[in-house]
Amino acid sequence: MIDIQEAQIYVGTYAKYNDGSLFGKWIQLSDYSDLEEFIEACKVLHKDEEDPELMFQDWEEIPEGLISECWLSENFFDLRDAMESLKDDNQEAFMVWCSHGSYDISREDTHVLLSKFWDKYHGKYDSEEDFVYRYVVDCYDLPEFAQTYFDYEKFANELFSTDYWFEDGFVFRR
């Protein structure tokens, strides 16, 4: 699981790279409140160049879609701050949901994404059948004898082929 609070980037420049140098430094993004502050620190690091063209040569703990060799999304900082409010399992579920859906975390408002996530997220379960058992108990008033005859596996197959999806133990409504 990505721990966005531990995100870091190895920052060099294209000029140094083209001259055969990999000089740069690992920079912890938790030390900066926004993209502008981060970029300013990168420019200070490479103050030996008049207008350094930054090159992100490596990175860790940054979700796909938020970074490339020459770009870091402004949304990274909003997302990082919003993720602090989520518990570990919910952080992991959010990242699974983002990677599965048609959501562009680099552009969409983080608070809107979190709202959509909470609308779709139904929790963590050991299996699809475990979710369906809880679903049946919560939604249907089946007498105890009927529960013993209920085909949870078949119902799970139906629900997860139409209305829900399951990944890494997390259940989401389509």
Side-chain angles (χ1 to χ4, degrees):
M1 177 182 98
I2 291 177
D3 183 357
I4 199 168
Q5 305 305 324
E6 297 296 321
Q8 59 181 342
I9 301 173
Y10 189 83
V11 181
T13 67
Y14 282 98
K16 287 181 177 77
Y17 181 80
N18 290 336
D19 286 341
S21 171
L22 295 177
F23 173 79
K25 180 181 173 186
W26 280 102
I27 297 181
Q28 295 290 114
L29 294 176
S30 60
D31 294 339
Y32 305 96
S33 61
D34 59 26
L35 183 61
E36 186 176 309
E37 189 178 357
F38 167 70
I39 296 296
E40 187 57 37
C42 293
K43 288 181 178 181
V44 168
L45 172 65
H46 294 288
K47 64 184 175 211
D48 58 325
E49 294 181 34
E50 188 174 319
D51 186 21
E53 187 178 1
L54 301 175
M55 180 181 190
F56 303 145
Q57 296 169 327
D58 198 6
W59 52 85
E60 295 178 352
E61 306 298 332
I62 300 176
E64 189 176 324
L66 289 178
I67 190 168
S68 72
E69 185 178 279
C70 61
W71 169 83
L72 176 65
S73 171
E74 284 188 48
N75 268 11
F76 169 82
F77 295 93
D78 287 340
L79 185 63
R80 178 202 61 198
D81 296 344
M83 294 288 280
E84 282 185 339
S85 68
L86 299 175
K87 294 179 183 169
D88 288 342
D89 277 350
N90 293 337
Q91 287 181 9
E92 187 177 356
F94 179 74
M95 296 312 297
V96 166
W97 178 77
C98 284
S99 67
H100 191 273
S102 57
Y103 307 103
D104 184 352
I105 62 174
S106 70
R107 294 186 184 167
E108 290 192 49
D109 179 85
T110 301
H111 299 291
V112 171
L113 279 175
L114 282 170
S115 177
K116 289 178 182 178
F117 164 74
W118 286 120
D119 287 344
K120 303 290 185 183
Y121 182 52
H122 285 270
K124 187 170 186 177
Y125 296 86
D126 291 331
S127 67
E128 292 174 356
E129 288 81 15
D130 284 343
F131 169 74
V132 165
Y133 179 78
R134 173 60 38 209
Y135 182 89
V136 169
V137 167
D138 290 347
C139 297
Y140 301 101
D141 190 21
L142 292 179
E144 193 172 317
F145 82 90
Q147 290 179 23
T148 61
Y149 292 101
F150 194 86
D151 190 340
Y152 293 98
E153 183 179 352
K154 188 172 183 178
F155 191 50
N157 287 337
E158 182 67 28
L159 275 182
F160 284 93
S161 68
T162 57
D163 297 331
Y164 292 88
W165 59 277
F166 180 87
E167 187 174 320
D168 295 340
F170 303 110
V171 174
F172 303 93
R173 186 165 185 83
R174 291 190 193 279

